[in-house]
Amino acid sequence: MRVADLRKLVQQQEQQLRVFDATLSTIADFAYTFDRDGRFIYSNRSLLDLLGITAEEIVGKNFFDLGYPTELATRLQHQIEHVFVTKEHVVDETPFTGPTGAEGYYEYIFRPVFAADGSVEMVAGSTRDVTERRRVQEQSRQILDSISDAFMAVDTDWRFTYVNRQAERLLTRTPGDLLGHTIWDAFPGLIGSSFERAYRRAAEDRESSSLTDYYPNHGRWYEVHVYPADPGITIYLRDVTQRKCLEKQKDDFLAVASHELKTPVSSIKAFAQVLGRRFTASGDMESATLVGKMDNQLNKLTNLISDLLDVTRIESGQVRFRSHLFEVDPLVREITDQIRLTAPEPVIRIEGCAGCSIVADRDRTGQVLMNLLSNSIKFAPVDSEIVVAVSADSDGVAVTVTDSGMGISRERQALVFDRFYRVLGPEPDTYPGLGLGLFISAEIVRRQGGRVWVESEEGAGSTFGFWLPLSGGEPGTPGDD
Ligand code: ADP
C-alpha cells in the first residue's frame, strides 16, 4: 500500500471517529469503551462533563485513577473483567456523587466488543442517569408504605416483588420472609380459597375484583382488592374482622328481634280481624273501617318483619328452597292478579309467555316477581303502564318488569341489589322501604342458579329482570319454615 493511500485510510478512520464522537456527544447518556485492564479508551462528552476532564485526560485512566470511591471502582473493575472472561454483558445500577458534589443514581450496561477471531477486544458501555425515576419510585414506595391498606405486588411467577409496611405488620412477616417467595409457599392456606380464584382471575384473565372472606389460617376476615399489573398482580388487603364481628352481632340481633316480633304481630292481626268482623256485625261501620286500616298497616309490618327474617336467614345461609316442577305462566298471572287487588293503578300488562315448567321454589319465585312489581308500582306514575314480559329459551325462563318511572342512574344501578340500599327521595319517606327487597330477590334467584339484572336510564323508566334455569333446584328439597 502506498504511503498516500495509507494516509488517506488513517484520515478516513480519524474522520469516522470524529463522527462517532460527535454523534455520541449529542446524547445525555454516558457512552464509553474500556481496554482489557479497565482503562478508558474513549468517553463521550456527557461523562467528560460530569467528571470535569477532557477527552485526552480520560484515555488510559481506570476508575481508581479518576478518584471513584474504592468500593465502587473495585466493583466496576471486576464487572469489566467479568465481561472479558464470560463474553456476557453486565447490567447494574449505583449511586454516584460527581466531583462537583452532584448526587445521582445511575443504571449502566457493559457489553463485550468482539474481534474477528471471536475474542473480546474491548468492553463498550453506556450509563443512564435514573435519579428522577428513582425519586418517583421512592416517592411511590413512601406513599404505599403510608397507606393504611396492606399492599403487595406479585410477579408472573407468583413471587412477591413488593410488600409495604402495613402488609408486614398485618401478616407478621418481614420482607425477607416474603420477597422472592411465591405467595402459595408463603400462605399455603390460600390454595383452593376464594382469594386464590380472584388472584388467578387477575393474573390470567386480567380482571380486577374485590372480595371479603374468612382466612382460617389467620382466624381473620380479609377484604381484598386485586388488580392485574404489569407484570403480575397487585393486592390490597384490609383486616375487617372487627367489622365482621359487629355485623354478626347486628345480624344476630335482627334475627332475634324479627323472630320475636313475628308472634305478637300475628296475634294482633288475628285479634284485629275478629274485631273487624264484630264491628261489621254490630253495624259500627266507622270502627270497622278503622280496624280495616289497622289491618293494612299490620300487613305492612308483617312484610317488613318477613323481609328482615329473610335477610338474616340469607346471611346465615339458612334459606332452603322447596323446589318442585311448576308452570311459570299461571304463577305470573296469580302474582299480577294479587297485586292488582292492592294497587289497581298503574295498569299491569303481561306480554308473551313461557309456555313451560321449571323446577324451582314456586313461593320464593313468586316473592321475587311480587317484589319487582311492588317496586315498579311505587316508582311509576299512576296513569302509566307496567309491562311484565315473560319468555323462555332452551335453558330457562326470563321475566322482566318494565315501568316508566323515575329510572335509576348508572352508578346506582350497581348498588340497588345491595343489602339496605335505597335511594332517598326529596323527603326521607317519599319512597318507603328498608332497601331489602332487591337484595332478597337477587339472593333467591342466584341461589336457584339464576341471575338478576337492571336496565334503566335516569328519568326514563327501569326494567328489572330475572332468569331461572329450567331445573335449578332438586325437586323435593326441604323448606325452611
Ligand atoms: P325497598 O324495599 O326499600 O324498595 P329495594 O331493595 O326493593 O328496597 O330497592 C332498593 C332501591 O332500588 C329503592 O330504594 C329504589 O331506589 C331503587 N329501585 C328499585 N326498583 C326501582 C324502580 N322500579 N324504579 C326506580 N328505582 C327503583
Side-chain angles (χ1 to χ4, degrees):
M1 195 182 273
R2 294 205 328 248
V3 175
D5 290 342
L6 209 60
R7 194 176 295 136
K8 200 164 168 214
L9 201 68
V10 170
Q11 274 173 356
Q12 273 176 352
Q13 276 186 347
E14 280 176 357
Q15 191 199 19
Q16 228 169 32
L17 274 177
R18 282 199 302 278
V19 171
F20 279 137
D21 180 43
T23 313
L24 289 175
S25 291
T26 59
I27 59 171
D29 290 354
F30 309 151
Y32 39 77
T33 52
F34 303 109
D35 66 14
R36 186 82 180 74
D37 300 320
R39 295 176 195 286
F40 276 92
I41 302 171
Y42 165 81
S43 161
N44 73 342
R45 177 114 322 266
S46 311
L47 180 58
L48 296 175
D49 287 348
L50 177 82
L51 298 175
I53 55 174
T54 65
E56 289 72 31
E57 281 169 339
I58 203 168
V59 174
K61 298 227 167 59
N62 64 21
F63 291 109
F64 297 99
D65 303 331
L66 292 169
Y68 275 49
T70 315
E71 202 183 318
L72 177 60
T74 312
R75 183 167 113 203
L76 296 170
Q77 200 76 29
H78 277 147
Q79 287 174 326
I80 293 168
E81 181 66 25
H82 181 85
V83 178
F84 271 103
V85 175
T86 63
K87 300 183 176 178
E88 277 172 8
H89 70 269
V90 166
V91 181
D92 206 350
E93 51 187 37
T94 181
F96 181 70
T97 308
T100 58
E103 285 176 30
Y105 205 90
Y106 298 89
E107 193 178 79
Y108 58 91
I109 177 162
F110 293 163
R111 277 188 186 285
V113 178
F114 294 105
D117 65 0
S119 63
V120 179
E121 61 177 346
M122 61 174 107
V123 166
S126 66
T127 299
R128 176 161 292 182
D129 183 347
V130 290
T131 318
E132 185 54 24
R133 196 177 77 196
R134 283 279 298 196
R135 200 183 56 75
V136 173
Q137 276 174 347
E138 193 46 43
Q139 224 172 29
S140 326
R141 201 166 289 253
Q142 279 171 8
I143 293 170
L144 289 174
D145 275 345
S146 66
I147 60 174
S148 57
D149 283 356
F151 170 80
M152 294 168 283
V154 174
D155 68 13
T156 42
D157 294 326
W158 298 103
R159 290 181 194 284
F160 285 103
T161 52
Y162 181 73
V163 178
N164 77 348
R165 290 236 177 84
Q166 199 57 27
E168 289 168 33
R169 245 174 264 143
L170 184 61
L171 305 169
T172 56
R173 307 282 179 95
T174 64
D177 295 335
L178 298 176
L179 294 180
H181 295 270
T182 74
I183 188 168
W184 317 123
D185 287 342
F187 302 104
L190 288 176
I191 295 167
S193 70
S194 56
F195 299 109
E196 181 191 3
R197 285 192 289 281
Y199 298 167
R200 289 201 183 276
R201 257 202 321 276
E204 286 152 24
D205 308 334
R206 315 302 290 157
E207 239 178 63
S208 315
S209 59
S210 304
L211 78 151
T212 303
D213 206 350
Y214 186 66
Y215 187 62
N217 293 33
H218 291 174
R220 292 198 198 124
W221 284 86
Y222 289 124
E223 180 186 295
V224 166
H225 302 273
V226 50
Y227 303 96
D230 199 12
I233 60 168
T234 50
I235 302 165
Y236 292 80
L237 194 72
R238 190 178 295 170
D239 180 358
V240 292
T241 314
Q242 214 178 354
R243 192 185 83 198
K244 276 287 177 186
C245 286
L246 288 174
E247 271 175 20
K248 175 144 189 350
Q249 277 175 10
K250 188 191 71 195
D251 287 346
D252 290 349
F253 169 76
L254 276 182
V256 173
S258 41
H259 192 262
E260 290 301 312
L261 280 170
K262 207 176 149 181
T263 320
V265 170
S266 311
S267 311
I268 298 172
K269 196 171 156 49
F271 295 141
Q273 278 165 355
V274 173
L275 269 182
R277 279 197 295 272
R278 284 195 186 168
F279 283 133
T280 313
S282 68
D284 183 352
M285 297 319 285
E286 198 183 335
S287 301
T289 312
L290 283 177
V291 172
K293 286 183 178 166
M294 185 170 133
D295 191 46
N296 267 340
Q297 294 302 319
L298 283 169
N299 284 342
K300 285 187 187 166
L301 192 56
T302 313
N303 287 341
L304 283 179
I305 293 170
S306 80
D307 271 3
L308 282 173
L309 270 175
D310 274 348
V311 169
T312 55
R313 283 184 186 140
I314 286 170
E315 289 300 321
S316 58
Q318 282 172 6
V319 180
R320 271 179 243 108
F321 294 91
R322 279 183 293 194
S323 298
H324 47 85
L325 191 71
F326 67 89
E327 270 187 82
V328 175
D329 297 318
L331 174 69
V332 172
R333 278 195 301 275
E334 202 176 292
I335 298 295
T336 314
D337 289 345
Q338 209 172 314
I339 204 148
R340 274 186 192 126
L341 289 178
T342 52
E345 280 174 326
V347 176
I348 303 171
R349 183 162 56 85
I350 300 176
E351 215 178 67
C353 66
C356 63
S357 301
I358 61 171
V359 177
D361 187 317
R362 192 177 192 275
D363 289 348
R364 291 283 185 192
T365 307
Q367 186 184 345
V368 174
L369 179 57
M370 178 64 97
N371 180 252
L372 299 189
L373 274 171
S374 22
N375 277 348
S376 286
I377 288 168
K378 196 153 66 173
F379 293 101
V382 226
D383 56 353
S384 66
E385 185 184 63
I386 293 170
V387 178
V388 180
V390 191
S391 62
D393 56 36
S394 56
D395 303 324
V397 168
V399 180
T400 60
V401 177
T402 303
D403 64 59
S404 49
M406 60 195 262
I408 308 163
S409 70
R410 196 161 275 279
E411 313 89 72
R412 285 173 169 166
Q413 285 174 34
L415 302 169
V416 287
F417 294 105
D418 285 356
R419 195 161 73 130
F420 298 121
Y421 182 81
R422 50 194 288 259
V423 181
L424 294 179
E427 299 294 327
D429 56 356
T430 317
Y431 303 110
L434 291 178
L436 292 177
L438 288 176
F439 170 76
I440 296 168
S441 302
E443 287 299 314
I444 291 175
V445 171
R446 285 184 198 130
R447 288 183 193 211
Q448 296 190 96
R451 53 176 197 278
V452 288
W453 66 91
V454 54
E455 286 157 17
S456 180
E457 217 177 291
E458 215 168 357
S462 320
T463 296
F464 278 85
F466 67 94
W467 177 92
L468 279 173
L470 290 180
S471 56
E474 291 302 312
T477 315
D480 55 326
D481 294 328

